[in-house]
Amino acid sequence: MTLFTGPAADCRLCPRLVEYRRANQAAFPDWHNAPVDSFGSLDARILFIGLAPGVRGANRTGRPFTGDYAGDLLYSSLLKYGLARGEYRADPDDGFELVGARICNAVRCVPPENKPLPSEFKACLPFLSQELAAMPSLRALFAIGRNAHEVALTTLGLKKSAYPFAHGAMHELGKGLILVDSYHCSRYNTNTGRLTEAMFHQALETLLDSIKS
Ligand code: SF4
């Protein structure tokens, strides 16, 4: 098993994101404003993959999906299905824990307008690859959004055309690993009705049913 430590706090592989981090550091010196480490144990069976930190969410708090609407839906859902314990209070010091699950982002620094560039996905991809290699019990990936789905496939060297993204779809990737897709649990998607809480729960149920045995 390989050791995984994630990117350095001052990772400079993406010039645009480094510049944005600096601007946020100047404007909000109390915020995290650095690559956001994954949350949860490397011994987890499930890896949830998001897009990137939100500027006032994980980029502020330093924990994935913490401090913005997407985290409210994600973490309440993980609690419902026994994949977390404690009380989520949108604060990394809340003592909230994941159970058999880990959460990362495809791009680990906050991008302007929540939109990473293709070059930024590519630059950050080796960290996901190293993370997967360091998870000996990994059975399932849960892609939170189409971008996460595509990054997961690219990381594993699999063809996107063979595994089309669809909300609630389950893909068998070989070697006992599965991938389940969901629309991103963003406020925009829930406000527009693209994703309801029931739909998100249905995708999580597909995930859990798929790794029951
Ligand atoms: Fe480094 Fe990833 Fe941040 Fe780019 S997004 S600067 S590769 S940690």
Side-chain angles (χ1 to χ4, degrees):
M1 191 177 56
T2 53
L3 186 67
F4 176 72
T5 55
D10 63 346
C11 181
R12 290 158 197 253
L13 292 172
C14 305
R16 186 183 75 121
L17 302 190
V18 171
E19 192 53 41
Y20 191 46
R21 277 187 347 224
R22 285 200 185 120
N24 282 315
Q25 280 159 3
F28 307 105
D30 295 338
W31 289 9
H32 176 71
N33 296 318
V36 174
D37 287 340
S38 303
F39 177 34
S41 169
L42 284 165
D43 288 329
R45 291 198 307 159
I46 305 166
L47 181 64
F48 290 81
I49 307 174
L51 170 62
V55 67
R56 292 175 181 277
N59 177 64
R60 175 173 60 84
T61 64
R63 191 173 71 182
F65 286 89
T66 298
D68 56 16
Y69 177 83
D72 291 347
L73 178 53
L74 175 62
Y75 287 127
S76 65
S77 301
L78 296 188
L79 275 170
K80 175 181 168 69
Y81 289 100
L83 294 170
R85 63 178 158 236
E87 185 186 352
Y88 171 69
R89 293 200 307 270
D91 174 349
D93 296 325
D94 56 12
F96 190 78
E97 290 180 300
L98 301 183
V99 179
R102 182 174 167 93
I103 302 175
C104 71
N105 278 310
V107 172
R108 291 162 200 256
C109 294
V110 58
E113 299 175 5
N114 289 329
K115 288 184 183 155
L117 300 175
S119 61
E120 293 159 354
F121 279 111
K122 192 173 172 191
C124 217
L125 196 132
F127 296 114
L128 179 59
S129 179
Q130 292 161 21
E131 191 162 15
L132 296 179
M135 296 185 68
S137 306
L138 187 64
R139 296 278 313 279
L141 306 175
F142 187 93
I144 304 175
R146 181 185 295 271
N147 285 304
H149 166 97
E150 293 186 352
V151 165
L153 294 176
T154 303
T155 303
L156 293 166
L158 298 171
K159 278 188 183 169
K160 292 175 198 165
S161 58
Y163 306 93
F165 176 86
H167 177 80
M170 191 279 281
H171 310 276
E172 292 185 5
L173 304 180
K175 298 181 184 167
L177 186 66
I178 64 156
L179 168 65
V180 173
D181 297 335
S182 172
Y183 291 135
H184 197 285
C185 50
S186 64
R187 186 188 292 274
Y188 177 82
N189 278 349
T190 51
N191 280 351
T192 58
R194 184 173 178 81
L195 179 71
T196 63
E197 184 180 71
M199 287 168 66
F200 194 62
H201 289 173
Q202 173 254 323
L204 283 173
E205 286 169 17
T206 298
L207 167 79
L208 293 173
D209 284 347
S210 303
I211 58 169
K212 243 182 205 163
S213 55

